[in-house]
Amino acid sequence: MKKVFIILILFLSCYFIYNKTINKKVYYLTIGDALSRGTNEYGIVSHGYSDYIKEYFEENKLLEGYNKTYTNNDYRIIDIINILEYNEKKDDYSLSRLIKKADIITISLGMNEIYYKLEKNNQNIYTYIDSMINNYNKVLEYINRFHHDKVYVLGYYNVLNTNNDAFSYANYKLKEICQKHNFIYVELSDTLTNNPHYFSKPKTFIPNNQGYEKISQIIVENLKNT
Protein backbone atom coordinates (compact mmCIF):
# COMPACT_ATOMS: atom_id res chain seq x y z
CA MET A 1 0.00 0.00 0.00
CA LYS A 2 2.84 2.34 0.86
CA LYS A 3 4.45 1.71 -2.54
CA VAL A 4 1.17 2.38 -4.32
CA PHE A 5 0.81 5.65 -2.39
CA ILE A 6 4.37 6.75 -3.30
CA ILE A 7 3.81 5.87 -6.98
CA LEU A 8 0.54 7.81 -6.95
CA ILE A 9 2.24 10.86 -5.41
CA LEU A 10 5.03 10.71 -8.01
CA PHE A 11 2.52 10.34 -10.82
CA LEU A 12 0.46 13.31 -9.64
CA SER A 13 3.58 15.41 -9.14
CA CYS A 14 4.76 14.71 -12.68
CA TYR A 15 1.28 15.42 -14.01
CA PHE A 16 1.03 18.81 -12.30
CA ILE A 17 4.58 19.79 -13.30
CA TYR A 18 3.86 18.79 -16.89
CA ASN A 19 0.62 20.74 -17.01
CA LYS A 20 2.16 23.79 -15.42
CA THR A 21 4.92 23.76 -18.02
CA ILE A 22 2.89 22.86 -21.09
CA ASN A 23 0.05 25.26 -20.32
CA LYS A 24 2.16 28.24 -19.38
CA LYS A 25 0.91 31.38 -21.07
CA VAL A 26 3.33 34.02 -22.24
CA TYR A 27 3.39 37.79 -22.41
CA TYR A 28 4.87 38.75 -25.77
CA LEU A 29 6.60 42.10 -26.29
CA THR A 30 8.08 43.43 -29.52
CA ILE A 31 10.38 46.46 -29.67
CA GLY A 32 11.90 48.36 -32.54
CA ASP A 33 11.60 49.92 -35.96
CA ALA A 34 9.21 49.45 -38.89
CA LEU A 35 9.83 45.68 -38.95
CA SER A 36 8.56 45.21 -35.41
CA ARG A 37 5.75 47.70 -35.99
CA GLY A 38 4.56 45.82 -39.06
CA THR A 39 4.61 48.78 -41.43
CA ASN A 40 4.06 47.78 -45.04
CA GLU A 41 5.88 49.05 -48.11
CA TYR A 42 3.41 51.96 -48.40
CA GLY A 43 4.05 53.24 -44.89
CA ILE A 44 0.81 51.87 -43.45
CA VAL A 45 0.76 49.72 -40.32
CA SER A 46 -0.21 46.30 -41.57
CA HIS A 47 0.20 42.67 -40.53
CA GLY A 48 3.79 42.42 -39.34
CA TYR A 49 5.88 39.46 -38.22
CA SER A 50 4.99 40.09 -34.58
CA ASP A 51 1.28 39.86 -35.41
CA TYR A 52 1.83 36.44 -36.98
CA ILE A 53 3.73 35.34 -33.86
CA LYS A 54 0.92 36.63 -31.65
CA GLU A 55 -1.53 34.56 -33.71
CA TYR A 56 0.63 31.47 -33.19
CA PHE A 57 0.41 31.94 -29.41
CA GLU A 58 -3.34 32.57 -29.64
CA GLU A 59 -4.00 29.49 -31.76
CA ASN A 60 -2.14 27.37 -29.20
CA LYS A 61 -3.88 29.08 -26.27
CA LEU A 62 -0.54 30.32 -24.98
CA LEU A 63 -1.03 34.08 -25.10
CA GLU A 64 -1.36 36.05 -21.88
CA GLY A 65 -0.69 39.42 -23.50
CA TYR A 66 0.88 41.17 -26.47
CA ASN A 67 2.35 44.67 -26.71
CA LYS A 68 3.93 46.61 -29.59
CA THR A 69 3.67 50.11 -28.06
CA TYR A 70 7.41 50.71 -28.37
CA THR A 71 7.64 50.23 -32.12
CA ASN A 72 8.00 53.10 -34.55
CA ASN A 73 9.05 53.44 -38.19
CA ASP A 74 11.77 55.90 -37.24
CA TYR A 75 13.14 54.30 -34.06
CA ARG A 76 16.90 54.21 -33.81
CA ILE A 77 18.88 52.37 -31.16
CA ILE A 78 19.61 55.63 -29.35
CA ASP A 79 15.87 56.33 -29.10
CA ILE A 80 15.32 53.12 -27.14
CA ILE A 81 18.31 53.93 -24.92
CA ASN A 82 16.82 57.36 -24.14
CA ILE A 83 13.36 55.92 -23.46
CA LEU A 84 14.88 53.50 -20.95
CA GLU A 85 17.22 56.05 -19.41
CA TYR A 86 14.51 58.63 -18.80
CA ASN A 87 11.80 56.07 -18.07
CA GLU A 88 9.49 57.64 -20.63
CA LYS A 89 5.88 56.50 -20.85
CA LYS A 90 3.80 56.00 -23.96
CA ASP A 91 0.08 55.24 -23.87
CA ASP A 92 0.47 54.74 -20.09
CA TYR A 93 3.08 52.03 -20.69
CA SER A 94 6.66 52.18 -19.43
CA LEU A 95 9.10 50.25 -21.60
CA SER A 96 11.13 49.17 -18.58
CA ARG A 97 7.98 47.76 -16.94
CA LEU A 98 7.00 45.94 -20.13
CA ILE A 99 10.47 44.41 -20.40
CA LYS A 100 10.23 43.15 -16.83
CA LYS A 101 6.80 41.67 -17.52
CA ALA A 102 7.57 39.98 -20.84
CA ASP A 103 8.31 36.29 -21.29
CA ILE A 104 9.13 36.49 -25.01
CA ILE A 105 10.73 39.55 -26.63
CA THR A 106 11.53 40.25 -30.27
CA ILE A 107 13.69 43.23 -31.27
CA SER A 108 14.58 44.82 -34.58
CA LEU A 109 16.83 47.87 -34.41
CA GLY A 110 19.61 49.35 -36.50
CA MET A 111 18.12 49.05 -39.99
CA ASN A 112 17.35 52.77 -40.14
CA GLU A 113 20.90 53.65 -39.14
CA ILE A 114 22.62 51.30 -41.59
CA TYR A 115 20.52 52.26 -44.60
CA TYR A 116 20.73 55.98 -43.84
CA LYS A 117 24.50 55.82 -43.52
CA LEU A 118 24.98 53.79 -46.70
CA GLU A 119 22.67 55.95 -48.79
CA LYS A 120 24.10 59.28 -47.58
CA ASN A 121 27.79 58.65 -46.94
CA ASN A 122 29.41 55.27 -46.44
CA GLN A 123 32.79 56.63 -45.30
CA ASN A 124 34.04 55.05 -42.06
CA ILE A 125 31.17 52.59 -42.25
CA TYR A 126 32.88 49.99 -40.05
CA THR A 127 33.60 52.51 -37.30
CA TYR A 128 29.97 53.61 -37.59
CA ILE A 129 28.74 50.02 -37.24
CA ASP A 130 31.00 49.45 -34.21
CA SER A 131 29.44 52.48 -32.51
CA MET A 132 25.94 51.35 -33.46
CA ILE A 133 26.46 47.84 -32.08
CA ASN A 134 27.98 49.21 -28.88
CA ASN A 135 24.75 51.15 -28.36
CA TYR A 136 22.70 48.08 -29.19
CA ASN A 137 24.64 46.21 -26.52
CA LYS A 138 23.42 48.75 -23.94
CA VAL A 139 19.82 47.89 -24.80
CA LEU A 140 20.51 44.16 -24.56
CA GLU A 141 22.38 44.62 -21.29
CA TYR A 142 19.30 46.27 -19.81
CA ILE A 143 17.01 43.49 -21.04
CA ASN A 144 19.40 40.89 -19.68
CA ARG A 145 18.90 42.15 -16.13
CA PHE A 146 15.63 40.27 -16.07
CA HIS A 147 14.69 36.67 -16.70
CA HIS A 148 12.92 35.94 -19.98
CA ASP A 149 12.02 32.69 -21.66
CA LYS A 150 13.47 33.88 -24.97
CA VAL A 151 14.78 37.08 -26.54
CA TYR A 152 15.01 37.18 -30.35
CA VAL A 153 17.19 39.79 -32.06
CA LEU A 154 16.61 40.23 -35.79
CA GLY A 155 19.66 40.34 -38.03
CA TYR A 156 20.21 42.64 -41.00
CA TYR A 157 19.68 42.04 -44.71
CA ASN A 158 20.68 43.96 -47.81
CA VAL A 159 18.33 45.16 -50.56
CA LEU A 160 20.78 47.66 -52.09
CA ASN A 161 22.85 45.23 -54.21
CA THR A 162 25.99 46.92 -52.83
CA ASN A 163 27.96 47.04 -49.56
CA ASN A 164 27.50 43.36 -48.79
CA ASP A 165 30.64 43.40 -46.64
CA ALA A 166 29.17 46.10 -44.40
CA PHE A 167 26.03 44.05 -43.77
CA SER A 168 28.09 40.92 -43.11
CA TYR A 169 30.18 42.84 -40.60
CA ALA A 170 27.11 44.30 -38.85
CA ASN A 171 25.57 40.83 -38.55
CA TYR A 172 28.82 39.37 -37.24
CA LYS A 173 29.02 42.03 -34.52
CA LEU A 174 25.32 41.68 -33.68
CA LYS A 175 25.60 37.92 -33.40
CA GLU A 176 28.54 38.35 -31.01
CA ILE A 177 26.56 40.45 -28.53
CA CYS A 178 23.58 38.09 -28.80
CA GLN A 179 25.82 35.19 -27.82
CA LYS A 180 27.24 37.25 -24.96
CA HIS A 181 23.75 37.72 -23.49
CA ASN A 182 22.50 34.25 -24.47
CA PHE A 183 19.87 35.78 -26.76
CA ILE A 184 18.75 34.27 -30.05
CA TYR A 185 20.15 35.91 -33.16
CA VAL A 186 17.66 35.59 -36.03
CA GLU A 187 19.51 35.10 -39.31
CA LEU A 188 17.56 36.91 -42.04
CA SER A 189 20.28 37.68 -44.59
CA ASP A 190 20.30 34.20 -46.13
CA THR A 191 16.57 34.39 -46.80
CA LEU A 192 15.82 38.05 -47.50
CA THR A 193 18.93 39.60 -49.05
CA ASN A 194 18.16 40.55 -52.66
CA ASN A 195 15.11 38.30 -52.73
CA PRO A 196 12.39 40.11 -54.74
CA HIS A 197 9.76 37.60 -53.65
CA TYR A 198 9.66 39.24 -50.21
CA PHE A 199 9.71 42.91 -51.28
CA SER A 200 7.29 44.94 -53.39
CA LYS A 201 9.24 48.20 -53.56
CA PRO A 202 12.89 48.28 -54.66
CA LYS A 203 15.62 49.49 -52.31
CA THR A 204 13.43 49.56 -49.22
CA PHE A 205 14.04 47.13 -46.38
CA ILE A 206 10.31 46.98 -45.60
CA PRO A 207 9.04 43.53 -46.62
CA ASN A 208 5.69 42.68 -48.13
CA ASN A 209 3.23 40.32 -46.41
CA GLN A 210 5.16 37.27 -47.61
CA GLY A 211 8.34 38.70 -46.15
CA TYR A 212 6.77 39.37 -42.77
CA GLU A 213 5.24 35.92 -42.72
CA LYS A 214 8.63 34.36 -43.52
CA ILE A 215 10.30 36.23 -40.64
CA SER A 216 7.59 34.99 -38.27
CA GLN A 217 8.01 31.41 -39.54
CA ILE A 218 11.74 31.48 -38.72
CA ILE A 219 11.00 32.60 -35.15
CA VAL A 220 8.03 30.28 -34.64
CA GLU A 221 10.08 27.30 -35.79
CA ASN A 222 12.61 28.10 -33.09
CA LEU A 223 9.83 28.43 -30.51
CA LYS A 224 8.48 25.02 -31.48
CA ASN A 225 11.84 23.27 -31.44
CA THR A 226 13.30 24.59 -28.18
Side-chain angles (χ1 to χ4, degrees), residues 38-217:
T39 303
N40 67 18
E41 60 269 35
Y42 305 105
I44 300 168
V45 177
S46 182
H47 208 75
Y49 79 84
S50 61
D51 298 299
Y52 285 110
I53 295 170
K54 179 201 76 165
E55 288 172 1
Y56 162 75
F57 287 130
E58 285 178 332
E59 288 167 4
N60 290 277
K61 298 181 172 34
L62 295 172
L63 189 69
E64 177 189 331
Y66 166 61
N67 195 292
K68 60 192 294 187
T69 299
Y70 286 93
T71 61
N72 187 289
N73 293 357
D74 300 320
Y75 269 167
R76 301 163 301 162
I77 297 167
I78 193 64
D79 296 319
I80 297 299
I81 290 173
N82 288 337
I83 288 167
L84 290 170
E85 184 175 346
Y86 296 105
N87 198 27
E88 295 179 17
K89 284 191 176 181
K90 185 178 177 184
D91 299 333
D92 293 327
Y93 288 104
S94 159
L95 179 55
S96 59
R97 186 176 293 274
L98 288 172
I99 288 172
K100 292 173 188 175
K101 183 176 183 178
D103 301 295
I104 306 290
I105 299 176
T106 56
I107 314 169
S108 61
L109 286 168
M111 283 289 208
N112 288 324
E113 291 95 312
I114 291 177
Y115 278 87
Y116 179 83
K117 176 67 175 172
L118 290 175
E119 289 172 356
K120 296 297 181 183
N121 176 7
N122 67 356
Q123 289 184 346
N124 303 315
I125 183 63
Y126 296 102
T127 302
Y128 180 86
I129 289 171
D130 284 339
S131 176
M132 185 188 86
I133 296 297
N134 284 339
N135 281 336
Y136 210 148
N137 187 54
K138 293 176 185 177
V139 176
L140 300 189
E141 279 181 342
Y142 183 88
I143 293 172
N144 204 31
R145 296 180 191 175
F146 311 101
H147 299 289
H148 303 95
D149 290 349
K150 284 180 173 45
V151 176
Y152 292 91
V153 181
L154 272 62
Y156 306 117
Y157 51 85
N158 186 4
V159 298
L160 300 176
N161 295 314
T162 59
N163 298 292
N164 287 321
D165 288 346
F167 281 90
S168 295
Y169 182 72
N171 280 323
Y172 172 77
K173 299 295 287 186
L174 183 60
K175 191 172 184 179
E176 271 193 334
I177 62 170
C178 287
Q179 290 173 339
K180 172 184 172 183
H181 297 293
N182 201 27
F183 293 163
I184 301 162
Y185 166 78
V186 181
E187 173 61 63
L188 296 180
S189 182
D190 291 345
T191 304
L192 299 184
T193 289
N194 296 325
N195 190 334
H197 178 69
Y198 295 122
F199 301 91
S200 300
K201 286 182 75 175
K203 295 190 176 180
T204 173
F205 67 80
I206 305 298
N208 55 26
N209 287 339
Q210 289 86 354
Y212 277 126
E213 190 169 8
K214 185 62 180 177
I215 293 170
S216 72
Q217 286 172 359

Side-chain angles (χ1 to χ4, degrees), residues 1-39:
M1 187 67 183
K2 186 176 180 181
K3 284 185 179 179
V4 173
F5 181 74
I6 292 172
I7 291 169
L8 181 61
I9 291 295
L10 289 171
F11 173 81
L12 290 173
S13 298
C14 292
Y15 175 82
F16 285 122
I17 290 170
Y18 173 81
N19 272 279
K20 185 175 180 181
T21 304
I22 204 70
N23 293 324
K24 182 187 175 185
K25 294 194 173 184
V26 300
Y27 193 97
Y28 171 38
L29 170 67
T30 189
I31 305 167
D33 52 29
L35 287 181
S36 284
R37 186 160 180 75
T39 303

